């Protein structure tokens, strides 16, 4: 499957696991790929919490403004690591109906998952943004950053919400991603930077990192400040 022309990868990392020491190392490598162009007045919007260390390193190295786009996956009742959709800061919801069909989730379970995720989003927005409104996005380059793309649902709902918030020229930057999801998302953005493109039936974002751990909100807030 050929990558779209607007995807920038590191061919030396293609298909390889454990290529990054940790998230900030990955952010540094992405900043190197992104230095191919000028980013005048651009803003980096990191998806908390895992995207913040990546985004903060990109912003630091390229001299860009840094903020957050709060989005969260809707997790399965029996597995908090797996999701069947996502909710964004503005209430935008995207569901993986195909996956839901195979899982046999009831409408009641789906609604409960959406409600719980919306409550989480409201709390996280209060934590990370307080009373600050979303920055003015119209007319400036927006770089959306996460620590990786598996199914792509979280990222796609972020892009949808940011479009509603006025973003026009959007770029995605992620250290690692599944080839199928990269190909699907690329047409939605001007440029997609993914240093480590991988494929296969089994894909985990964590497999791209030698040192993987959860990032808590306190650590993310320190990086943002």
């Amino acid at each position: 499957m050929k990558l779209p022309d607007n995807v920038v990868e590191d061919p030396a990392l293609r298909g390889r696991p454990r290529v990054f020491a940790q998230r900030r190392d990955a952010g540094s490598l992405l900043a190197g790929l992104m230095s191919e162009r000028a980013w005048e007045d651009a803003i980096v919007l990191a998806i908390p919490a895992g995207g913040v260390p990546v985004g903060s390193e990109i912003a630091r190295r390229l001299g860009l403004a840094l903020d957050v786009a709060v989005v969260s996956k809707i997790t399965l009742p029996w597995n908090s690591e797996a999701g069947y959709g996502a909710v964004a800061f503005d209430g935008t919801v995207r569901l993986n109906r195909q996956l839901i069909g195979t899982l046999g989730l009831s409408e009641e379970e789906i609604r409960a998952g959406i409600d719980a995720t919306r409550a989480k989003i409201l709390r996280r927005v209060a934590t990370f943004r307080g009373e600050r409104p979303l920055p003015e996005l119209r007319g400036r380059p927006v770089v959306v950053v996460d620590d990786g793309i598996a199914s792509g649902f979280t990222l796609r709902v972020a892009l949808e919400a940011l479009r509603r918030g006025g973003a026009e020229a959007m770029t995605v930057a992620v250290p690692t991603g599944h080839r199928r999801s990269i190909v699907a998302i690329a047409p939605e953005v001007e440029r997609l930077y993914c240093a480590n493109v991988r494929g296969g039936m089994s894909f985990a974002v964590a497999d791209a990192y030698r040192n993987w751990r959860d990032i808590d909100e306190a650590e993310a807030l320190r990086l943002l400040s």
Side-chain angles (χ1 to χ4, degrees):
M1 186 188 301
K2 184 181 182 294
L3 292 175
D5 291 339
N6 66 332
V7 173
V8 179
E9 63 165 336
D10 185 337
L13 303 184
R14 186 186 303 157
R16 294 173 50 195
R18 316 295 178 193
V19 293
F20 308 116
Q22 33 76 23
R23 289 177 178 87
R24 294 189 73 170
D25 169 57
S28 176
L29 196 152
L30 275 174
L33 291 180
M34 294 171 65
S35 64
E36 65 168 3
R37 57 158 288 184
W39 294 94
E40 185 177 353
D41 194 37
I43 183 169
V44 173
L45 294 179
I47 296 177
V52 173
V54 182
S56 67
E57 192 65 15
I58 291 172
R60 185 180 74 82
R61 287 186 173 270
L62 298 180
L64 305 179
L66 174 66
D67 213 308
V68 292
V70 180
V71 188
S72 181
K73 62 186 173 185
I74 308 166
T75 58
L76 296 171
W78 58 86
N79 184 352
S80 62
E81 295 301 314
Y84 57 91
V87 179
F89 55 88
D90 69 341
T92 299
V93 177
R94 182 185 284 265
L95 296 175
N96 187 337
R97 285 291 178 184
Q98 183 178 358
L99 178 60
I100 288 170
T102 64
L103 294 172
L105 290 169
S106 68
E107 288 301 319
E108 183 179 356
E109 287 174 316
I110 294 167
R111 176 51 54 192
I114 293 172
D115 290 345
T117 307
R118 278 186 169 143
K120 176 183 176 181
I121 289 292
L122 288 173
R123 180 184 61 76
R124 278 199 158 184
V125 167
T127 298
F128 287 107
R129 303 204 63 81
E131 298 299 318
R132 289 188 302 114
L134 192 70
E136 178 57 53
L137 304 178
R138 201 176 305 277
R140 69 189 303 193
V142 174
V143 183
V144 185
V145 177
D146 205 352
D147 53 12
I149 298 174
S151 71
F153 267 83
T154 301
L155 185 60
R156 293 178 89 168
V157 80
L159 295 174
E160 187 176 341
L162 290 169
R163 248 181 237 106
R164 292 181 179 180
E168 298 161 339
M170 286 192 287
T171 291
V172 165
V174 290
T176 187
H178 194 287
R179 178 178 291 270
R180 181 176 58 249
S181 298
I182 297 296
V183 169
I185 292 170
E188 300 184 23
V189 296
E190 291 194 346
R191 206 91 160 142
L192 197 159
Y193 294 89
C194 181
N196 171 235
V197 178
R198 292 182 284 134
M201 295 295 292
S202 177
F203 179 93
V205 168
D207 288 346
Y209 298 86
R210 296 190 293 277
N211 300 296
W212 174 264
R213 62 184 178 83
D214 289 336
I215 304 297
D216 61 30
E217 291 180 359
E219 182 176 354
L221 280 168
R222 285 196 300 272
L223 289 169
L224 289 166
S225 64

